[in-house]
Amino acid sequence: MKITRLFSFTSVLLILFAFISNAASAQTVPNQKEERRERTIDEIKAEAIHRAEVGQYPLIALDPGDIRQALNSVHTRDKDEWAAAFMGVADRYFNEAKTLEKTDPTKANADYIRAWRLYSFGRWPIPASPGKQRSYEKAIEAFLAHARFFDPPLEVVRIPFEGKEIIGYLRLPKNAKGPVPLVLAVNGLDSRKEDLAESFGAILPFGVGYLAVDGPGTGQNPIKVSENAERVLSRVLDYIATRPEIDKNRVAMHGVSWGAYWATKMAIVERARLRGASAQSPPVDKFFQKDFLMNSLLGNREYLFDQVPALMNILEGVHTLDELGEYLPKMSLVHQELLGKPMAPMLILAGVNDTQVPIDDEYLLLSKGDVPKEAWINPHGGHLGRQVGVWPDPRIFKEVIIPWLVLTLAPEPAK
């Protein structure tokens, strides 16, 4: 497959100008002042089934029938009740898969995938109760059972870090000749490294490997979000440099939402070790201000449920809404005096109608630094630039992100 440069910097500026003009008139988002409350359990159930039917996050690739079956057992917003309902459906597929591994490996693998996605939704958005934690543990078990069918194989890496360990999933292209380029992929608030590992299999045929890790505060990451939590990702770069199969001079990052924040920050503080970084809807400055928290994130309807509780959970020492409002501004890249410093090349992806990360943050990021950036801004898109039925997550990933990363990691032309 031939990969060509997606955008010129001049065309990006023209596109941005048009989109900025359109942004003021976009009216597809509900009146936020009327939507300050979380969904009721009945509203959550109806919205979850709808999203499963149309392939909308966080129910991409989940079967609507499975969702309906699980939700029949959900009557309240109790976290353990939710987890038990989805584990009950997922267990059936997981147990069937174990019996079929030798006689029908294709069906077994499909069952493991189905179980993994159901377990994962059982712990969504975060494993904030014993039941949801158990569902998360089962999700990892089911994913790793699915990963046993990978070719080339998946390697679980364990990187020592401050008396604990960073767990990541590494896959390298098959039959590679010499060190290969690599993408370090970091998840968002409620996705996990398992999701990234599944998606990034698409980059292997281009001769590029990946290492997927959970971002600070999420999944199996050993630390929570703080002003210097990027150190955990710098440690991953240290590890990458020790692997002879990887070309340490051709490493890029990809991050989604909160992971995009880390990709952006690393593009600044680790620019010498990164060929580039792609970032989907990275929070930069306005996202971290208290008025955005109170007027857009609280009770946000683009998010299925519990965005603010999930956000509090990933931050170090934050337990209340007031503490969250006080803490978030410290994470701003403007507050940290990083925005505007030299940085690695970037691809910024976003949607003008995003209610979870303000588009103003992306325009600000595009205007700063010392090198031109490229942009993919969907004038009708929401968070991550996604647009139901037009630009779903898988299409953006395969048609925009993968080509940019492959081109960015291509060998330098001979001089």
Side-chain angles (χ1 to χ4, degrees):
M1 182 180 190
K2 185 178 180 181
I3 300 294
T4 57
R5 178 60 68 187
L6 297 173
F7 318 99
S8 70
F9 186 59
T10 301
S11 66
V12 167
L13 291 178
L14 292 173
I15 292 168
L16 285 178
F17 180 79
F19 290 171
I20 291 169
S21 299
N22 288 339
S25 61
Q27 296 296 328
T28 61
V29 178
N31 186 327
Q32 291 298 294
K33 292 182 180 179
E34 299 175 0
E35 302 292 351
R36 296 275 57 84
R37 64 171 180 82
E38 286 285 348
R39 287 184 170 95
T40 66
I41 189 58
D42 288 338
E43 290 171 332
I44 290 171
K45 291 165 69 171
E47 182 67 12
I49 291 169
H50 168 70
R51 293 191 185 196
E53 291 173 340
V54 300
Q56 186 178 355
Y57 190 83
L59 290 112
I60 298 170
L62 278 89
D63 183 272
D66 290 340
I67 300 304
R68 289 190 187 93
Q69 183 180 351
L71 291 176
N72 284 338
S73 301
V74 176
H75 307 289
T76 71
R77 286 195 48 143
D78 180 78
K79 295 178 176 62
D80 287 341
E81 180 182 302
W82 177 279
F86 282 93
M87 283 191 286
V89 179
D91 283 345
R92 185 175 75 247
Y93 293 112
F94 185 82
N95 293 333
E96 180 181 75
K98 288 194 292 185
T99 67
L100 294 174
E101 279 202 24
K102 293 183 179 179
T103 59
D104 192 347
T106 300
K107 180 66 164 63
N109 188 34
D111 280 348
Y112 280 134
I113 294 171
R114 206 161 177 172
W116 157 53
R117 288 175 171 149
L118 285 163
Y119 286 136
S120 189
F121 194 52
R123 63 89 194 148
W124 201 90
I126 54 170
S129 73
K132 286 200 170 188
Q133 178 61 32
R134 178 60 182 145
S135 196
Y136 174 52
E137 292 166 358
K138 287 190 169 189
I140 294 175
E141 182 183 5
F143 176 81
L144 292 176
H146 156 54
R148 291 200 298 268
F149 295 87
F150 284 178
D151 182 26
L154 178 143
E155 177 186 351
V156 179
V157 301
R158 299 178 182 274
I159 306 168
F161 177 79
E162 297 181 3
K164 300 179 182 179
E165 64 180 6
I166 304 162
I167 300 175
Y169 299 146
L170 176 69
R171 286 185 78 193
L172 300 177
K174 196 172 184 178
N175 302 322
K177 297 180 180 179
V180 300
L182 185 99
V183 177
L184 171 58
V186 184
N187 61 293
L189 174 66
D190 51 64
S191 58
R192 294 293 178 264
K193 64 184 179 300
E194 290 77 27
D195 303 293
L196 291 168
E198 183 75 3
S199 297
F200 266 97
I203 207 168
L204 298 174
F206 296 100
V208 179
Y210 70 81
L211 175 56
V213 299
D214 292 310
T218 72
Q220 295 177 303
N221 195 292
I223 63 172
K224 290 204 171 189
V225 171
S226 66
E227 292 175 78
N228 66 345
E230 74 278 359
R231 70 188 189 278
V232 73
L233 299 173
S234 292
R235 177 69 187 92
V236 176
L237 290 181
D238 294 340
Y239 171 80
I240 289 170
T242 69
R243 296 290 298 246
E245 316 98 304
I246 299 170
D247 185 344
K248 65 181 180 181
N249 296 314
R250 288 196 289 160
V251 176
M253 273 195 73
H254 172 72
V256 50
S257 197
W258 259 98
Y261 170 82
W262 299 115
T264 302
K265 189 170 185 179
M266 293 286 281
I268 300 170
V269 302
E270 290 284 7
R271 68 186 186 280
R273 293 202 283 179
L274 291 175
R275 182 72 72 86
S278 55
Q280 279 187 280
S281 296
V284 175
D285 180 55
K286 185 176 178 179
F287 169 89
F288 296 106
Q289 307 313 313
K290 189 172 184 178
D291 62 337
F292 188 78
L293 167 66
M294 301 305 295
N295 296 318
S296 191
L297 296 183
L298 197 63
N300 187 288
R301 291 302 179 97
E302 188 179 7
Y303 203 84
L304 185 58
F305 64 87
D306 285 355
Q307 182 176 27
V308 169
L311 190 55
M312 284 192 286
N313 183 267
I314 72 170
L315 294 167
E316 188 176 82
V318 171
H319 305 96
T320 68
L321 187 61
D322 286 341
E323 290 174 347
L324 182 62
E326 292 299 317
Y327 195 98
L328 280 176
K330 301 175 185 178
M331 300 302 299
S332 162
L333 297 181
V334 173
H335 174 82
Q336 295 179 12
E337 299 183 348
L338 290 174
L339 204 62
K341 290 189 174 183
M343 61 193 307
M346 291 193 71
L347 167 66
I348 311 301
L349 304 98
V352 170
N353 296 328
D354 189 344
T355 62
Q356 299 180 60
V357 175
I359 191 64
D360 290 352
D361 272 11
E362 320 315 345
Y363 296 145
L364 177 63
L365 176 58
L366 286 164
S367 70
K368 300 296 183 180
D370 62 327
V371 295
K373 300 175 187 65
E374 296 184 79
W376 187 89
I377 308 293
N378 185 349
H380 303 292
H383 192 50
L384 311 186
R386 56 169 69 113
Q387 183 182 357
V388 177
V390 181
W391 284 104
D393 296 62
R395 184 183 178 194
I396 296 172
F397 186 78
K398 290 184 179 180
E399 295 186 20
V400 184
I401 295 168
I402 291 287
W404 189 87
L405 288 168
V406 171
L407 193 59
T408 296
L409 291 170
E412 294 283 358
K415 296 182 179 179

